[in-house]
Amino acid sequence: MAPSPVQNASMKQEERVSVQITPRRRLPDFLQSVNLKYVKLGYHYLITHLLTLLFIPLVLTILLEAGRMGPDDLRQLWDNLRFNLVSVITCSALLVFGGTVYFMSRPRSIFLVDFACYLPDERLQVPIPLFMERTRMAGFFDEKSLDFQQKILERSGLGPKTYLPAAMHELPPCPSMKAAREEAEQVMFGCLDELFEKTSIKPKDVGILVVNCSLFNPTPSLSAMIVNKYHMRGNIRTYNMGGMGCSAGVIAIDLAKDMLQINGSTYAIVVSTENITQNWYFGNRRSMLIPNCLFRVGGAAILLSNKRKDARRSKYKLNHVVRTHKGADDKCYNCVYQEQDQQGNMGVSLSKDLMAIAGETLKANITTLGPLVLPLSEQLLFFTSLVTRKVFNMKVKPYIPDFKLAFDHFCIHAGGRAVIDELEKNLQLTPEHCEPSRMTLHRFGNTSSSSIWYELAYMEAKEHVRRGHRVWQIAFGSGFKCNSAVWQALRNIKPSQRSPWAHCINEYPQHVDEIQKFG
């Protein structure tokens, strides 16, 4: 009997349903089933250890062949060597000579024995409400300038315990030469007293002294001030660097390194600081008011050695220093500029293009640094990306090398929240990598060239630095410059009781709001 129209409709519906629920056979989605993070790690491991992986089969083959040799084969090999004695001696002599030349021509290893950062007296602390109160009472600023400074401070990332020199606490402020000298003495001597105590080095043992301070350069110089205070020896080589901005600390390390290369068995001390007393801006130009809000008192003293015996007690070994200078470009040259405003007030003007210029300078710096520190796997990926874009004109994203594979810790100059944010984004860092910079900015403010040492002290206080770890110090400065120093830890670094963080490290890290309102 033929099916009814209702039965036909039901059968068709069942067919449709069965077709819809029948699964299609597909290949598995490997992009979903395989974690690409581990693929990249595997690729990195393979390329990094490629030579080792190729060398092992070769060694095994040689050992197997040597194991098959009998007494007659060994006797024949000995006879060949004996009858070719001249060739053997010549080859041995050449190997010894080549090895001697190689080891003699290698640059000396530079060791960082220890360093010290200045911790000002508590009475010099300047909470932001107090800062604004004193700024208002000084009588130099109009209402618009006061509101502008309030907004900058709310977004600055500075905490309530940063420091200003004694002269800035007076009403009205007293930026005299005497007060500036007193600030310089307190900071430099405070660092050096602690450094000499920690290392047990006598001042007369120091053969090289490098001091950098951008904006305060009296006569006699700051280096002469130190020599006079500590009665250093008469043939000490002293250098006083001025006007080189916040990256001058790395430049001073580079100069000390070069001097240690040509002066055997000696010590070098680098003192990095900035002087605020005579460089406070008392006008109303906005581009000059920003340094008032960010810069604070600070300084560091670093002891370097080229003596091999100091390797055992030193903290770090200097691996690389890379310096980039963009001063040939007028835009870069003028972006941080000391000048007078229309009323004759001296100050440092910051350009609106500062962050863009810093980004370009950073790119040039890491282009030079990358081949020195990045693993081969990252260099191959970067080279492939470059060839794809430049040679084949393919529209692919530029490959940003993963510097986290090259460094364990990052000391980014605490110039301001925007600087740290930009580097975190461009270098694809994690919040943990930028924690020392943000916490240093919060606790001490922008201490100019010494900020990277407060950051390293923070890592040590947190017991994050272990033997073999590599540390990247990177700083920007007027000119415009970007400079990098790479250190390798020689041992597990234990917290120091004399650290500037010793009294407050348990309070950190702290969460810092993007905008902080002050009553």
Side-chain angles (χ1 to χ4, degrees):
M1 185 175 70
S4 66
V6 175
Q7 291 175 329
N8 284 334
S10 176
M11 292 171 63
K12 290 180 181 179
Q13 181 67 22
E14 289 177 1
E15 289 177 0
R16 284 198 298 267
V17 171
S18 65
V19 169
Q20 290 174 357
I21 64 175
T22 300
R24 295 178 59 188
R25 296 188 176 276
R26 301 179 183 175
L27 290 173
D29 190 345
F30 291 105
L31 290 178
Q32 297 297 327
S33 60
V34 178
N35 193 328
L36 294 180
K37 170 186 173 184
Y38 296 104
V39 174
K40 184 175 180 180
L41 288 175
Y43 163 76
H44 165 64
Y45 182 86
L46 176 64
I47 296 299
T48 303
H49 299 89
L50 184 61
L51 292 178
T52 304
L53 295 174
L54 294 176
F55 184 68
I56 289 175
L58 178 63
V59 172
L60 291 176
T61 303
I62 293 173
L63 291 176
L64 288 173
E65 289 298 325
R68 294 175 183 174
M69 294 178 68
D72 294 336
D73 296 322
L74 293 173
R75 190 180 300 109
Q76 184 180 359
L77 179 61
W78 169 252
D79 291 338
N80 289 333
L81 293 175
R82 186 176 58 181
F83 291 120
N84 294 280
L85 187 61
V86 175
S87 300
V88 173
I89 293 175
T90 303
C91 290
S92 301
L94 288 175
L95 287 173
V96 171
F97 177 76
T100 304
V101 171
Y102 171 75
F103 285 106
M104 293 294 290
S105 61
R106 289 179 65 190
R108 301 173 188 269
S109 296
I110 306 301
F111 303 106
L112 192 161
V113 180
D114 212 333
F115 67 96
C117 297
Y118 176 63
L119 180 64
D121 191 278
E122 287 188 8
R123 64 185 177 84
L124 298 180
Q125 288 183 358
V126 53
I128 291 178
L130 176 62
F131 177 93
M132 290 305 305
E133 177 188 342
R134 294 295 175 87
T135 300
R136 186 179 299 274
M137 293 176 66
F140 297 102
F141 308 101
D142 57 30
E143 285 300 320
K144 290 184 178 180
S145 296
L146 292 169
D147 291 342
F148 176 74
Q149 291 181 78
Q150 177 83 25
K151 291 178 181 178
I152 292 293
L153 288 165
E154 289 174 350
R155 294 163 172 80
S156 66
L158 271 68
K161 296 183 179 181
T162 60
Y163 304 90
L164 282 178
M168 295 295 102
H169 284 267
E170 297 182 11
L171 283 175
C174 180
S176 64
M177 173 62 79
K178 180 182 178 182
R181 285 184 180 274
E182 289 175 354
E183 179 192 347
E185 290 173 356
Q186 289 173 1
V187 174
M188 295 192 305
F189 298 164
C191 295
L192 289 166
D193 287 346
E194 180 183 336
L195 185 66
F196 287 132
E197 182 181 342
K198 290 167 70 173
T199 60
S200 300
I201 294 294
K202 298 178 181 178
K204 287 188 180 296
D205 294 333
V206 179
I208 300 161
L209 174 64
V210 182
V211 181
N212 70 271
C213 182
S214 290
L215 297 175
F216 181 60
N217 293 284
T219 300
S221 66
L222 297 177
S223 59
M225 191 184 297
I226 294 173
V227 172
N228 176 260
K229 163 70 175 179
Y230 294 98
H231 305 289
M232 292 178 162
R233 64 196 198 196
N235 63 344
I236 187 172
R237 299 173 182 270
T238 63
Y239 301 88
N240 208 85
M241 298 165 47
M244 304 195 78
C246 299
S247 68
V250 178
I251 301 174
I253 292 291
D254 191 35
L255 174 58
K257 177 203 71 173
D258 291 343
M259 295 305 300
L260 286 171
Q261 292 293 344
I262 59 176
N263 293 276
S265 190
T266 190
Y267 292 105
I269 284 183
V270 172
V271 179
S272 295
T273 186
E274 191 52 81
N275 193 285
I276 294 175
T277 298
Q278 281 200 320
N279 296 286
W280 200 258
Y281 176 60
F282 295 103
N284 291 291
R285 189 193 292 186
R286 291 194 172 187
S287 61
M288 292 182 171
L289 286 169
I290 298 175
N292 283 13
C293 301
L294 299 179
F295 281 86
R296 297 293 185 266
V297 170
I302 304 96
L303 178 64
L304 303 176
S305 172
N306 59 10
K307 301 179 181 182
R308 293 189 181 276
K309 67 178 182 179
D310 284 323
R312 294 181 180 180
R313 67 167 184 151
S314 296
K315 287 185 172 181
Y316 305 93
K317 177 184 175 183
L318 181 62
N319 285 351
H320 306 287
V321 176
V322 174
R323 295 165 55 182
T324 304
H325 204 305
K326 288 285 188 177
D329 185 302
D330 289 343
K331 197 173 184 180
C332 297
Y333 175 76
N334 292 307
C335 72
V336 180
Y337 201 85
Q338 186 180 23
E339 59 183 342
Q340 291 178 311
D341 64 11
Q342 294 179 345
Q343 287 72 40
N345 299 305
M346 186 70 74
V348 176
S349 175
L350 303 182
S351 168
K352 294 180 179 179
D353 300 321
L354 179 60
M355 292 309 303
I357 292 169
E360 289 298 317
T361 314
L362 171 65
K363 187 189 299 184
N365 188 267
I366 64 176
T367 301
T368 304
L369 180 67
L372 299 176
V373 298
L374 285 170
L376 181 60
S377 58
E378 288 298 295
Q379 296 190 45
L380 286 175
L381 289 173
F382 177 77
F383 178 74
T384 303
S385 170
L386 185 65
V387 170
T388 303
R389 289 186 297 110
K390 299 295 184 182
V391 177
F392 298 103
N393 293 321
M394 295 178 65
K395 293 182 178 180
V396 295
K397 279 180 136 186
Y399 181 74
I400 301 175
D402 188 357
F403 280 91
K404 297 187 292 295
L405 296 173
F407 303 110
D408 301 283
H409 306 287
F410 297 81
C411 295
I412 302 168
H413 166 53
R417 170 177 270 165
V419 175
I420 302 171
D421 289 346
E422 197 67 23
L423 264 73
E424 180 180 352
K425 176 183 175 183
N426 289 339
L427 296 178
Q428 299 178 350
L429 303 179
T430 65
E432 289 73 22
H433 289 128
C434 297
E435 179 184 310
S437 302
R438 295 191 190 281
M439 297 306 102
T440 295
L441 182 65
H442 181 269
R443 178 63 183 84
F444 295 99
N446 181 352
T447 60
S448 190
S449 58
S450 64
S451 68
I452 53 178
W453 297 105
Y454 285 93
E455 293 162 16
L456 187 55
Y458 179 87
M459 297 174 191
E460 293 183 356
K462 284 290 186 181
E463 297 188 72
H464 289 168
V465 184
R466 317 297 293 175
R467 182 175 182 176
H469 282 187
R470 286 170 293 182
V471 181
W472 182 14
Q473 291 181 323
I474 182 167
F476 301 91
S478 58
F480 192 80
K481 299 180 288 291
C482 176
N483 300 316
S484 296
V486 179
W487 304 89
Q488 185 167 2
L490 298 176
R491 53 185 171 88
N492 297 341
I493 309 298
K494 297 180 180 180
S496 169
Q497 296 300 318
R498 299 296 303 273
S499 168
W501 296 94
H503 66 290
C504 63
I505 192 62
N506 294 330
E507 302 172 12
Y508 287 89
Q510 294 188 14
H511 174 73
V512 181
D513 294 328
E514 187 173 345
I515 298 179
Q516 304 175 82
K517 291 294 183 180
F518 305 99

